[in-house]
C-alpha cells in the first residue's frame, strides 16, 4: 500500500480520538477512542470493519496509550501507509487563519493561546509532542476549530466593551466548530450544485456543544459562539446567551463566587438545567413523548433560541441558499428540526414531513418541500476534513 493515509488525532485532557483515513477515496481504515486516561478505568475502544474491540489499560496515560495505538496500527500494517498526521486544535486565537504544518513556532503559538482554551490546548500540545516523538519523520498539521471564523468582520467579532480589552487582551468573538462548517458547506454546495464562492449558507452545528454560523461565499461572516464556548445557543449543559449581570445578581443575592457561577452556567444549565432531567436530547425527546413538562420546555427553549439566532445571522447574508443542520442533534432530531423550521416560517420554510422523518435520506439531505427555501441535513465529518487539510499541506 502506498503512503497516502492520514492519522487524525484529537487529543483531549482525558481522551484521545484517532482515525486512519485515506483522504482521496475517503476510506476510514480504523477509528477509535482512548478514554478515561490516567484513571483505573482507562481503555481503548478500537473500531475496524464494523467491529469494536476494547482494550482495558488501567491507569494508562497519554504516552502509554499512544504506544499501544501505534502497536495496533503496526499489527494492521497501517504505520507504513501514513503520509502525515493531522491534529485537531480547538483554539488558534487570531494567530491562525487556516490550517498549518507544525513546527516549533506553531507549537509556541498554540501554547500562547492556552489562556483562551485552558482545558483543550495543553492536551493538544501533549498529543503533538507524543506523535512527534514516535513519528519524527512525518509531516504534522494543526487544524484549528477557530481559524474558519477569522474572516468575520470587526462588526461581528467585537463586543461593545472598552476597546482596550480587545486591543491589549484579545477579548473578542472567536467562534467554534469551524472544521465542521467547512466540511458541511462544501458538501451541501456540491449536492445543490452551487459554487461555494457564490453561496449564502446558514448552518447549525448541534452536538453537545452547539453553534450556528452565517457563511457567505464559503467564508464565515458571523457565528454565535464567543470568546469561550458558553455564548450563543442553548446547549447540553451550557446556558448560551445570558445577561452578564447574572454574575453580580447571583453573588449579591445568593453569595455564589465566580467559580460557582461559572460551573453553574457551563455544567448545570442548558437542556439539563431547564429539564432537571438530562443533557441528552434523545432522553428528553422520549420524556417529552411521555408528557414530561420540563423536558418539553427545554426542547422548546432550545428550538426557539436556535431559530431566533438563525434569523439574526441571516442579516449577514444576501439570501438563504440553504439552512444546514448537522451534529448529533441536527442530524437526528426530527422534533427539533420541525420546531425550528416552524419558528422560521417568516422566511417561507415549509417542512417536508416525510423527508424530515427519514432524516433527509433518499432526498439528498433536503427536508423541505420543492417550493420552500432549502433546509437540509449534512452529516459532518471533521476527521475527513482534518485528513484533507493535512494531506494538502503535506503535499500528498
Ligand atoms: P459531540 O458534540 O460530543 O460530538 P454529538 O454531535 O455526538 O456530540 O451530539 C450529541 C447529541 O446528539 C446528544 O444530545 C444526543 O442526544 C443527540 N442525538 C444523537 N442521536 C439522536 C437522536 N436519534 N435523536 C435526538 N438526538 C440525538
Amino acid at each position: 500500500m502506498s503512503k497516502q493515509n492520514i492519522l487524525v488525532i484529537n487529543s483531549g485532557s482525558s481522551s484521545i480520538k484517532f482515525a486512519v483515513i485515506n483522504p482521496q477515496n475517503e476510506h476510514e481504515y480504523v477509528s477509535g477512542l482512548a478514554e478515561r486516561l490516567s484513571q483505573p478505568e482507562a481503555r481503548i475502544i478500537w473500531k475496524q470493519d464494523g467491529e469494536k474491540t476494547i482494550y482495558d489499560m488501567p491507569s494508562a496515560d497519554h504516552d502509554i496509550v499512544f504506544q499501544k495505538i501505534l502497536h495496533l496500527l503496526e499489527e494492521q500494517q497501517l504505520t507504513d501507509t501514513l503520509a502525515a498526521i493531522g491534529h485537531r486544535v480547538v483554539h488558534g486565537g487570531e494567530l491562525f487563519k487556516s490550517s498549518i504544518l507544525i513546527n516549533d513556532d506553531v507549537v509556541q503559538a498554540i501554547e500562547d493561546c492556552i489562556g483562551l482554551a485552558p482545558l483543550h490546548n495543553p492536551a493538544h500540545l501533549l498529543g503533538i509532542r507524543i506523535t512527534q516523538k514516535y513519528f519524527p519523520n512525518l509531516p504534522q498539521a494543526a487544524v484549528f476549530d477557530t481559524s474558519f471564523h477569522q474572516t468575520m468582520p470587526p462588526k461581528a467579532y467585537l463586543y461593545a466593551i472598552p476597546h482596550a480589552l480587545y486591543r491589549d487582551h484579545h477579548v473578542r468573538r472567536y467562534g467554534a466548530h469551524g472544521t465542521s462548517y467547512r466540511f458541511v458547506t462544501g458538501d451541501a454546495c456540491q449536492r445543490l450544485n452551487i459554487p461555494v464562492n457564490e453561496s449564502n449558507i446558514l448552518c447549525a452545528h448541534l452536538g453537545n456543544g452547539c453553534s450556528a454560523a452565517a457563511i457567505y461565499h464559503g467564508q464565515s461572516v458571523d457565528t454565535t459562539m464567543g470568546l469561550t464556548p458558553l455564548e450563543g445557543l442553548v446547549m447540553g449543559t451550557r446556558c448560551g446567551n445570558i445577561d452578564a449581570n447574572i454574575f453580580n445578581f447571583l453573588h449579591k443575592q445568593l453569595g455564589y463566587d465566580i467559580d460557582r457561577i461559572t460551573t453553574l452556567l457551563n455544567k448545570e444549565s442548558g437542556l439539563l438545567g431547564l429539564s432537571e432531567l438530562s443533557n441528552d436530547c434523545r432522553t428528553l425527546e422520549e420524556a417529552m413523548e411521555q408528557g414530561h413538562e420540563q423536558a418539553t420546555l427545554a426542547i422548546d427553549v432550545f428550538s426557539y433560541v436556535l431559530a431566533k439566532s438563525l434569523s439574526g445571522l441571516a442579516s449577514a447574508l444576501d439570501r438563504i441558499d440553504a439552512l444546514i443542520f448537522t451534529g448529533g442533534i441536527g442530524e437526528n432530531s426530527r422534533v427539533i428540526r420541525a420546531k425550528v423550521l416552524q419558528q422560521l416560517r417568516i422566511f417561507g420554510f415549509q417542512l417536508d414531513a416525510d423527508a424530515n422523518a427519514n432524516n433527509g435520506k433518499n432526498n439528498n439531505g433536503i427536508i423541505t418541500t420543492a417550493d420552500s427555501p432549502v433546509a437540509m441535513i449534512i452529516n459532518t465529518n471533521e476527521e475527513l476534513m482534518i485528513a484533507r487539510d493535512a494531506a494538502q499541506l503535506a503535499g500528498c
Side-chain angles (χ1 to χ4, degrees), residues 121-368:
N121 276 21
H124 301 323
L125 285 166
L126 185 60
I128 289 169
R129 292 199 172 105
I130 292 172
T131 50
Q132 280 178 330
K133 181 167 80 176
Y134 292 112
F135 292 100
N137 299 321
L138 280 190
Q140 309 217 12
V143 179
F144 301 91
D145 286 13
T146 47
S147 60
F148 181 65
H149 298 296
Q150 282 295 302
T151 47
M152 282 190 288
K155 68 181 175 190
Y157 71 66
L158 284 177
Y159 293 120
I161 54 176
H163 197 60
L165 286 172
Y166 169 62
R167 213 173 33 236
D168 303 337
H169 302 286
H170 316 289
V171 176
R172 53 161 284 177
R173 173 185 313 289
Y174 287 98
H177 303 127
T179 311
S180 174
Y181 288 131
R182 274 199 295 144
F183 180 84
V184 297
T185 301
D187 194 339
C189 287
Q190 205 168 25
R191 286 172 193 230
L192 298 172
N193 204 17
I194 44 177
V196 174
N197 62 7
E198 290 173 16
S199 63
N200 281 254
I201 304 276
L202 281 178
C203 185
H205 177 107
L206 311 173
N208 282 309
C210 301
S211 74
I215 302 167
Y216 180 73
H217 294 185
Q219 301 198 320
S220 172
V221 284
D222 203 354
T223 191
T224 56
M225 263 194 183
L227 173 73
T228 77
L230 185 64
E231 194 184 346
L233 307 179
V234 175
M235 309 178 215
T237 60
R238 292 174 235 160
C239 62
N241 284 348
I242 195 151
D243 184 338
N245 264 337
I246 193 169
F247 271 85
N248 185 294
F249 181 87
L250 292 180
H251 176 65
K252 294 247 168 80
Q253 299 292 318
L254 302 176
Y256 291 2
D257 65 12
I258 288 183
D259 287 344
R260 175 77 196 93
I261 303 169
T262 305
T263 303
L264 179 143
L265 299 179
N266 282 277
K267 302 245 157 85
E268 299 166 13
S269 298
L271 293 173
L272 174 67
L274 279 166
S275 68
E276 295 184 304
L277 180 67
S278 173
N279 63 326
D280 191 287
C281 186
R282 265 169 304 200
T283 308
L284 295 182
E285 285 186 14
E286 280 160 24
M288 185 173 91
E289 272 169 34
Q290 284 154 21
H292 192 292
E293 270 179 36
Q294 275 178 245
T296 310
L297 202 61
I299 287 175
D300 270 351
V301 175
F302 180 99
S303 308
Y304 177 64
V305 170
L306 172 55
K308 193 164 68 164
S309 301
L310 289 166
S311 305
L313 289 167
S315 312
L317 301 177
D318 292 339
R319 57 179 189 276
I320 302 170
D321 291 328
L323 162 58
I324 303 172
F325 290 97
T326 192
I329 297 175
E331 292 165 23
N332 296 296
S333 176
R334 299 153 179 87
V335 173
I336 286 177
R337 289 190 307 253
K339 279 183 184 286
V340 170
L341 290 189
Q342 162 64 15
Q343 201 72 61
L344 289 173
R345 60 195 177 282
I346 193 166
F347 292 96
F349 283 106
Q350 305 264 2
L351 186 75
D352 177 333
D354 290 339
N356 188 44
N358 263 328
N359 288 333
K361 295 197 175 82
N362 312 323
N363 210 24
N364 215 11
I366 296 171
I367 55 165
T368 38

